[in-house]
Amino acid sequence: MSTKVLLGIDAGTSSVKVVAFTLSGVLVGRVSKKNNLITPRPGLVELDPVHYSNLMKSAIKQLVNENNLDVLGIGFSSACPCITFMDESYQPIGNSITYLDNRAEKELDQYVKKVSENGTDYFERIGNRASISTCFSCTIKWVKTHEVDRWEATKHIGMLNSFLAAELTGSSAVDYTQASYSGIFNLSEPESWDKELVELSGIDPEKLLPILPSYEKVGILRKEIADELYIREGVAVAIGSGDTAAAAFGLGFTDPNRAFESAGTSGVLTFCLDSPNFNPVFMNRCHVIPGKWLAHGATSMNGGSIDWLRHNIFEEYVNPSFIDTISSNLVRGAGGVVFLPYLAGERSPIWNCRAKAIWYGMDINTTKYDLIEAVLEASAFSLNQIKNHALKIFGINLESIIAVGNGTKCRYLSQLKADVFSTDYMTTNISDYAAWGAALMGGCAAQLFDGPSDVYIELQSEENTLYSPHCLTEAVSKNFVTYEELYPSLVEVMNKTYECT
């Protein structure tokens, strides 16, 4: 007898993960397929959407076959932004451009100037600061300017989930949570693309896909795809949302006095807003839940710095869990060494694509364990900066931080974060909040739930490991002071020396 499930497709940059849940949220199975990013030159970071789609379909087929599933609904959680250019049949034209890409700095400057010349403050008009990560229309304009053949062949512009949804259904859209990062959408009053801003951006409006709420049905599974994946024809597919928004939905995150961290390649500290009270330190977006917004303090390579360390510096550490294995060799304070984790520029709180990573404070006594400890401390320091901004800006009484994602598996780092944050830090055994949020959206699209606020939706239980804060050592406290002073001291040099492209 087959098991009735919802599928959540978690489309990250480093892998695609397909997870099956019962309607009550019980995990039935998961399959993950690794993806490699493409870096044609410094500042450009892309992925191959055709290869990615094949990975997704392979994962779905494997999961369905191994578990004898009856799929009732499908939804997406997607890395954001990940711009995908498509032809009339929704086939991709060239690679998708990821959120790590910095090619469109000049286009961003030009667009901000146009908005200002139109008589409005950019942030007040749009609800997000001017950055490439929160204004993907500038990257679209870059393609229009620099890749004319590609632009002329393009009929539809969407996100990664837009393309993957089209692969399954033959229809496509962009969701509210990702449109929030376009620079041509007013997220205070979400409805559709802002016609005036689209005109200022220089983008042909007919190439833009329609905008849908994340939980709405974009289409139903096509027969040929259903046959290929061993799923019945006609299953409803929700357009889905950005990955952190999906995790917030799956977690049932609505309390303004709590925060949650999404610990992956990026480190994102998220706060829920009951009104569009936006601040430019944060990446602001619509929540999956109508009438609420999310403020993300998003770093670019918080967890990615640890992977970079393992792959490029200390290659002897093959196992991703190496930190806990060597923790007895690590000394808090890193021998006075401080790391700036700006391997791909940085988003919150400094917002500078020219920022570069450095180790500072090395001397003849510095060991490799000091260098590793410094990278771990930087992971906590970067998010602590964001937390401190939120306390001042939103005036909240932060009760705890719950953390989700693969980065929470490291016990040593989790305790370090609790100590640096000076608040309870709770990790969970559930690693699939974003996938569960995506699956729930698929359930809403299939009308199995009465929208995202349905009281019958089962939120994932918090099977937490609690890390209570210990008193910070003087060495770590001093390092945090140095960490906060380093970037302001070096920003002028970084801006002069390095280009974003």
Side-chain angles (χ1 to χ4, degrees):
M1 183 177 177
S2 59
T3 305
K4 297 183 182 299
V5 298
L6 301 172
L7 289 190
I9 300 173
D10 190 2
T13 52
S14 60
S15 68
V16 57
K17 180 168 60 173
V18 181
V19 190
F21 301 90
T22 67
L23 270 67
S24 60
V26 176
L27 174 68
V28 175
R30 73 166 70 83
V31 174
S32 180
K33 302 287 184 179
K34 184 174 176 56
N35 178 64
N36 293 317
L37 291 174
I38 301 165
T39 53
R41 65 174 189 269
L44 276 63
V45 187
E46 306 172 346
L47 63 78
D48 179 349
V50 174
H51 175 65
Y52 201 97
S53 174
N54 290 335
L55 292 176
M56 174 190 71
K57 288 185 280 190
S58 174
I60 294 173
K61 186 185 298 185
Q62 180 182 337
L63 183 64
V64 171
N65 273 343
E66 290 178 352
N67 296 277
N68 189 25
L69 302 180
D70 179 13
V71 177
L72 304 179
I74 301 172
F76 291 96
S77 157
S78 177
C80 175
C82 191
I83 309 159
T84 306
F85 299 83
M86 295 168 277
D87 65 16
E88 188 70 40
S89 301
Y90 299 107
Q91 291 306 297
I93 303 170
N95 290 330
S96 299
I97 301 174
T98 76
Y99 69 91
L100 295 169
D101 193 281
N102 288 320
R103 73 185 70 191
E105 184 188 12
K106 292 180 181 178
E107 285 72 19
L108 177 65
D109 291 341
Q110 292 167 358
Y111 180 54
V112 171
K113 184 178 180 182
K114 281 186 177 181
V115 173
S116 298
E117 289 175 347
N118 200 48
T120 55
D121 175 78
Y122 181 90
F123 177 79
E124 293 297 326
R125 179 71 171 82
I126 291 169
N128 263 316
R129 69 177 297 116
S131 77
I132 294 171
S133 295
T134 55
C135 188
F136 65 69
S137 60
C138 295
T139 303
I140 296 173
K141 183 62 184 298
W142 185 96
V143 171
K144 179 179 181 179
T145 303
H146 296 276
E147 297 182 356
V148 177
D149 291 345
R150 184 184 191 185
W151 180 258
E152 291 180 350
T154 296
K155 299 300 181 182
H156 305 292
I157 304 169
M159 300 289 100
L160 179 59
N161 61 323
S162 305
F163 165 63
L164 297 177
E167 286 282 272
L168 298 183
T169 69
S171 301
S172 193
V174 174
D175 67 274
Y176 280 15
T177 74
Q178 300 202 62
S180 299
Y181 291 165
S182 66
I184 50 176
F185 174 81
N186 186 345
L187 65 155
S188 293
E189 300 176 357
E191 185 175 346
S192 62
W193 301 113
D194 187 305
K195 292 181 180 179
E196 182 181 30
L197 293 174
V198 170
E199 182 177 353
L200 289 173
S201 75
I203 297 171
D204 303 359
E206 65 273 11
K207 294 181 185 288
L208 296 170
L209 290 168
I211 304 176
L212 288 178
S214 300
Y215 52 88
E216 282 201 5
K217 181 173 70 176
V218 66
I220 58 174
L221 204 62
R222 294 185 290 148
K223 184 180 188 309
E224 59 269 33
I225 292 295
D227 291 343
E228 178 185 350
L229 302 180
Y230 308 113
I231 300 175
R232 58 188 173 83
E233 181 185 359
V235 172
V237 178
I239 188 58
S241 73
D243 47 9
T244 312
F249 178 43
L251 181 64
F253 181 67
T254 57
D255 187 345
N257 290 314
R258 298 188 73 187
F260 90 89
E261 179 195 351
S262 179
T265 300
S266 297
V268 185
L269 198 60
T270 298
F271 300 85
C272 185
L273 307 178
D274 292 330
S275 62
N277 175 28
F278 304 134
N279 185 278
V281 166
F282 296 90
M283 298 173 69
N284 304 299
R285 66 167 12 145
C286 298
H287 202 324
V288 172
I289 302 169
K292 293 188 181 294
W293 290 261
L294 299 172
H296 301 306
T299 63
S300 292
M301 289 290 284
N302 188 287
S305 295
I306 300 171
D307 287 336
W308 165 83
L309 191 73
R310 183 169 60 88
H311 289 302
N312 298 288
I313 307 298
F314 301 119
E315 297 179 49
E316 65 268 31
Y317 297 123
V318 177
N319 193 320
S321 63
F322 79 101
I323 297 298
D324 286 328
T325 304
I326 66 167
S327 61
S328 61
N329 297 307
L330 300 175
V331 178
R332 294 289 180 88
V337 178
V338 176
F339 182 69
L340 293 185
Y342 308 148
L343 291 164
E346 187 55 293
R347 293 183 289 177
S348 298
I350 66 170
W351 295 100
N352 188 352
C353 64
R354 289 190 174 95
K356 293 293 177 180
I358 66 163
W359 272 296
Y360 171 81
M362 291 183 288
D363 60 29
I364 197 169
N365 296 311
T366 297
T367 69
K368 72 175 183 179
Y369 298 113
D370 292 329
L371 300 182
I372 294 170
E373 172 70 18
V375 171
L376 299 176
E377 289 182 9
S379 178
F381 291 165
S382 60
L383 293 173
N384 195 50
Q385 280 188 316
I386 293 167
K387 182 211 75 175
N388 290 341
H389 280 293
L391 296 182
K392 293 177 183 177
I393 293 165
F394 302 132
I396 61 176
N397 178 25
L398 188 62
E399 297 171 354
S400 63
I401 296 172
I402 184 168
V404 301
N406 287 332
T408 65
K409 294 177 181 179
C410 178
R411 296 184 302 275
Y412 182 88
L413 180 56
S414 295
Q415 184 61 58
L416 176 62
K417 287 180 177 178
D419 297 345
V420 171
F421 296 156
S422 297
T423 191
D424 285 344
Y425 184 79
M426 296 181 292
T427 64
T428 174
N429 295 328
I430 301 168
S431 60
D432 300 310
Y433 278 110
W436 173 234
L440 283 174
M441 294 178 226
C444 292
Q447 298 185 330
L448 299 172
F449 304 114
D450 187 19
S453 299
D454 192 327
V455 295
Y456 293 105
I457 286 178
E458 293 282 348
L459 302 173
Q460 290 283 7
S461 61
E462 298 176 8
E463 301 175 16
N464 298 319
T465 300
L466 173 62
Y467 295 87
S468 296
H470 300 156
C471 184
L472 270 186
T473 66
E474 183 180 355
V476 176
S477 297
K478 286 178 64 177
N479 280 1
F480 182 57
V481 172
T482 302
Y483 180 91
E484 292 206 290
E485 292 176 345
L486 269 177
Y487 172 74
S489 300
L490 294 172
V491 60
E492 186 175 349
V493 175
M494 291 180 180
N495 287 342
K496 285 181 179 178
T497 308
Y498 300 101
E499 295 294 333
C500 294
T501 58

